């Protein structure tokens, strides 16, 4: 088995995530999404020394995509967060005070995300919700957790966070891609394929899911005949396509985002498209507009391509409430996960009887397990006030945290392209890491 790690950039830490997982991080748009206030000397590694936390008011901030390639995720995430804060405050808030919320753009750009995080830290927030992209969270995690502030992402899926040195201040409600890899491998092997080539973005998301899928394929009896890591910002992917041609695989798994359309187009021209070789993908290409991105004149060219993604179904009661709260919202992607980040943070502060993140961080995992089950903030608070331990189970369906501060179980679905349309063909497939397993 050979592995080609062709990198034109030495430090690509972008992800996506669509279900993203994970999420791409490209250059910001020409217009800044909103003014970002930074000190004149631009040294923003640490928050101001006079910042006071634990003042009796739980202050939340967010770093989420208002602009950039993932801007389409920004609306459901931010509205899901606003909805959570409204429900928390309607139930009496935290420690008798309303929770406050402020935030800014991640923009698919590490510099913008870092500046937004610095501004929020200087404002004295107790927790930051986000970022959406794994790469963007990697850009700010040291700033946030190093300041003793809680960070919770609803969409980071990169396995890197499971063992990241964050002093216990980083959490996520999206399952690690170490759980998705075995599901993707099971789909490929279950379809009868034994000689598999893998192509993935050369970033934390791509490499993490590639490694998990590769290991699972070998464990399930298949042979990984080629692994190609590529620069997602490259102008062409001719050499990568040729490597896949030379691999002579009976199945190819592509771990990409929007650049995957260019790769698939090249594969079709080279005679290894989904009409000739079984082609699989993950959450980054599981979108209704992907077929037209490959060929605007004939979206049927990707018919037969299938893959996996985190289960995108939304709890009907939650969706109904969010639709009433934000009637113009059409997409609900990651809204439940972001909502749960906010509620878990608020419940941790109630359980700790403190809005100081260095105190309530100890309760972030505890409120999601080993107690009386509850499904909304008000009911959970009532149990806490009665002296009960709680097990919050929110609308994301993945809120039982491991010691690493992430879901113990991932739930996935199988999708396919047929007649140029995106269709989910199976859902509710669970994946669990073995006890003590890493990444």
């Amino acid at each position: 088995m050979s592995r080609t790690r062709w990198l034109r950039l030495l430090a690509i830490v972008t992800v996506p995530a669509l279900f993203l997982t994970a999420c791409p991080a490209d250059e910001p748009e020409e217009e800044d999404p909103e003014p970002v206030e930074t000190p004149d000397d631009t040294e923003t590694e640490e928050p101001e020394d006079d910042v006071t936390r634990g003042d009796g008011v739980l202050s939340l901030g967010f770093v989420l995509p208002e602009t950039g390639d993932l801007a389409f995720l920004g609306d459901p995430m931010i509205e899901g967060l606003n909805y959570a804060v409204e429900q928390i405050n309607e139930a009496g808030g935290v420690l008798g005070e309303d929770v406050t919320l402020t935030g800014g753009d991640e923009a698919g750009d590490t510099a913008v995300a870092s500046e937004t995080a610095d501004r929020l830290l200087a404002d004295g927030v107790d927790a930051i919700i986000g970022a959406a992209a794994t790469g963007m969270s990697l850009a700010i995690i040291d700033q946030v957790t190093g300041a003793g502030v809680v960070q919770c992402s609803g969409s980071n899926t990169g396995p890197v966070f499971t063992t990241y040195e964050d002093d216990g201040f980083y959490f996520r409600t999206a399952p690690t891609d170490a759980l998705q890899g075995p599901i993707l491998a099971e789909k490929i092997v279950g379809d009868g394929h034994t000689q598999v080539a893998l192509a993935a973005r050369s970033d934390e998301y791509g490499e993490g899911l590639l490694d998990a899928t590769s290991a699972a394929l070998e464990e399930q009896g298949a042979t990984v005949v080629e692994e190609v890591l590529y620069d997602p910002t490259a102008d062409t992917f001719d050499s990568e396509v040729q490597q896949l041609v030379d691999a002579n695989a009976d199945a190819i798994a592509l771990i990409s985002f929007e650049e995957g359309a260019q790769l698939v187009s090249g594969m079709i021209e080279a005679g290894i498209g989904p009409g000739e070789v079984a082609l699989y993908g993950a959450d980054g290409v599981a979108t209704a507009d992907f077929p037209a991105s490959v060929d605007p004149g004939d979206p049927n060219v990707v018919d037969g391509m299938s893959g996996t993604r985190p289960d995108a179904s939304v709890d009907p009661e939650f969706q109904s409430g969010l639709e009433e709260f934000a009637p113009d919202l059409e997409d609900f992607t990651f809204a439940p996960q972001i909502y749960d980040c906010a509620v878990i943070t608020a419940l941790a502060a109630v359980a700790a009887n403190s809005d100081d993140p260095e105190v309530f961080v100890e309760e972030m995992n505890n409120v999601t397990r080993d107690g009386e089950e509850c499904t909304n903030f008000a009911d959970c608070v009532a149990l806490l006030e009665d002296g009960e331990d709680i097990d919050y189970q929110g609308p994301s369906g993945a809120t039982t945290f491991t010691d690493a501060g992430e879901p113990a179980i991932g739930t996935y679905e199988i999708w396919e392209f047929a007649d140029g349309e995106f269709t989910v063909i199976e859902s509710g497939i669970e994946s669990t890491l073995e006890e003590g397993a890493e990444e």
Side-chain angles (χ1 to χ4, degrees):
M1 175 177 70
S2 65
R3 165 172 287 201
T4 300
R5 295 179 175 270
W6 177 66
L7 305 179
R8 292 186 181 176
L9 301 179
L10 294 179
I12 300 174
V13 292
T14 58
V15 172
L18 175 56
F19 300 92
L20 335 256
T21 234
C23 308
D26 294 331
E27 293 298 315
E29 298 183 2
E30 293 184 3
E31 250 183 45
D32 287 339
E34 82 177 47
V36 177
E37 299 175 10
T38 56
D40 292 338
D41 60 7
T42 70
E43 293 182 5
T44 58
E45 293 183 2
E46 299 290 341
E48 295 295 327
D49 291 338
D50 60 355
V51 169
T52 300
R53 297 186 172 86
D55 59 359
V57 176
L58 181 64
S59 176
L60 303 181
F62 68 81
V63 181
L64 294 171
E66 298 174 326
T67 63
D69 284 341
L70 294 180
F72 67 98
L73 292 176
D75 282 346
M77 287 182 166
I78 293 170
E79 292 295 2
L81 182 54
N82 285 329
Y83 182 44
V85 170
E86 179 186 77
Q87 290 202 318
I88 291 167
N89 290 339
E90 285 182 349
V94 172
L95 307 179
E97 299 289 342
D98 281 353
V99 172
T100 64
L101 177 64
T102 185
D105 199 5
E106 69 178 64
D109 181 82
T110 57
V112 174
S114 182
E115 289 173 351
T116 299
D118 275 326
R119 174 170 57 81
L120 294 174
L121 292 172
D123 286 345
V125 298
D126 303 308
I128 287 181
I129 309 300
T134 288
M136 299 303 99
S137 280
L138 286 172
I140 68 173
I141 187 170
D142 290 340
Q143 294 166 259
V144 178
T145 64
V149 170
V150 164
Q151 179 179 352
C152 184
S153 173
S155 56
N156 291 163
T157 59
V160 63
F161 294 110
T162 300
T163 55
Y164 195 90
E165 294 295 332
D166 55 46
D167 293 327
F169 280 86
Y170 173 88
F171 303 85
R172 57 176 164 182
T173 52
T176 168
D177 275 327
L179 295 169
Q180 183 174 187
I183 302 300
L184 179 56
E186 184 177 320
K187 169 62 177 170
I188 295 169
V189 174
D191 287 346
H193 304 296
T194 59
Q195 305 291 306
V196 185
L198 302 173
R201 299 166 56 94
S202 55
D203 58 20
E204 292 288 353
Y205 165 71
E207 293 186 41
L209 184 49
L210 180 147
D211 288 343
T213 305
S214 180
L217 283 166
E218 297 283 356
E219 289 173 2
Q220 296 178 35
T223 299
V224 177
V225 296
E226 181 67 279
E227 293 181 353
V228 178
L229 289 173
Y230 65 86
D231 174 2
T233 67
D235 293 330
T236 67
F237 300 103
D238 294 344
S239 62
E240 288 81 5
V241 169
Q242 188 58 52
Q243 288 174 267
L244 293 173
V245 170
D246 294 342
N248 196 30
D250 62 12
I252 298 172
L254 178 63
I255 302 168
S256 68
F257 294 112
E258 60 180 13
E259 79 285 349
Q262 188 178 349
L263 268 163
V264 174
S265 179
M267 292 165 62
I268 292 171
E269 291 181 9
I272 56 170
E276 294 80 25
V277 179
L279 181 59
Y280 296 86
D283 38 281
V285 298
T287 62
D289 59 356
F290 184 76
S293 297
V294 175
D295 187 341
D298 182 14
N300 293 64
V301 294
V302 296
D303 284 358
M305 182 178 181
S306 62
T308 60
R309 70 175 185 179
D311 198 322
S313 59
V314 179
D315 176 81
E317 184 176 350
F318 172 80
Q319 180 171 335
S320 176
L322 184 54
E323 284 177 334
E324 184 176 348
F325 174 79
D328 294 333
L329 194 63
E330 297 180 354
D331 185 5
F332 300 91
T333 304
F334 292 127
Q337 288 81 5
I338 290 290
Y339 175 95
D340 281 342
C341 270
V343 173
I344 289 169
T345 303
L347 289 172
V350 173
N353 195 34
S354 174
D355 65 295
D356 184 342
E358 297 200 16
V359 177
F360 73 72
V361 68
E362 301 296 334
E363 298 293 339
M364 289 287 291
N365 289 340
N366 294 340
V367 297
T368 72
R369 61 192 189 189
D370 301 332
E372 186 74 21
E373 184 172 314
C374 51
T375 59
N376 62 70
F377 180 79
D379 290 348
C380 290
V381 168
L383 289 170
L384 288 171
E385 290 176 345
D386 287 341
E388 300 286 341
D389 292 330
I390 62 170
D391 175 9
Y392 171 70
Q393 295 298 308
S396 70
T399 46
T400 298
F401 282 174
T402 66
D403 288 344
E406 62 187 17
I409 299 173
T411 306
Y412 299 89
E413 55 191 22
I414 305 296
W415 55 265
E416 68 176 4
F417 290 118
D419 297 325
E421 301 289 335
F422 174 83
T423 306
V424 174
I425 58 177
E426 186 177 356
S427 60
I429 306 168
E430 290 191 349
S431 178
T432 307
L433 284 178
E434 295 181 5
E435 188 72 23
E438 293 183 1
E439 298 195 16

